[in-house]
Amino acid sequence: MPELPAPHIRTARPGDEGELALLDRLTWSHLHAVMPRPQPPYAPFFSERHTPEDCLVAELDGRLAGYVHLGFPTPLDSNRHVRQIQGLAVAEEARGRGVGRALVRAAVEASRKRGARRITLRVLGHNSPARALYEAEGFVVEGILPEEFLLDGAYVDDVFMGRVL
């Protein structure tokens, strides 16, 4: 069986806004989202909090296949040495092709290049595929907020994960 091409990772551009916003809506699920399903009029994908420069995108077969948002966990200067993954999505048709793993690795490397000492994230306790990916990439559970969210009638843990760079 021929090897599938690896995704190409790059920094997002303002022109990616529409495609990323659509991908975000198409991948929405309570498996990873704590906010209600987006409804029109849709909020912009990029904002003051999440600029194109803080978003890495994966292209596969010339098409946008996923993204990862990087940000800071707090606005405090004393916390600037920590970066945080604040969103990760992979298009349904691109799943199982290494896109999520490539995006996590790119986020780690981008954080390292920007001088971060640590990278953290939050993931819902029931999101086993994401947790397995993060663990495989060196993230460890650093804390759990039990039953932090009520989603579709079920209480879900909020899991904090991190790794040293």
Side-chain angles (χ1 to χ4, degrees), residues 57-115:
V57 298
E59 293 175 329
L60 203 55
D61 304 326
R63 299 187 56 206
L64 208 113
Y67 73 83
V68 61
H69 272 301
L70 278 170
F72 293 102
T74 74
L76 303 171
D77 285 340
S78 60
N79 192 227
R80 285 288 192 221
H81 63 284
V82 180
R83 297 289 282 180
Q84 187 173 59
I85 292 176
Q86 296 180 337
L88 174 72
V90 175
E92 184 71 37
E93 64 274 9
R95 292 190 183 151
R97 294 188 60 187
V99 173
R101 185 172 310 280
L103 285 166
V104 170
R105 289 179 178 173
V108 166
E109 188 56 32
S111 297
R112 187 179 283 124
K113 283 182 180 174
R114 292 179 184 183

Side-chain angles (χ1 to χ4, degrees), residues 22-38 89-90 95 151-152:
L22 179 59
L23 175 64
D24 205 41
R25 291 191 299 273
L26 291 173
T27 58
W28 183 94
S29 162
H30 270 313
L31 184 62
H32 61 82
V34 297
M35 300 294 288
R37 181 180 296 280
V90 175
R95 292 190 183 151
L151 305 173
D152 281 344

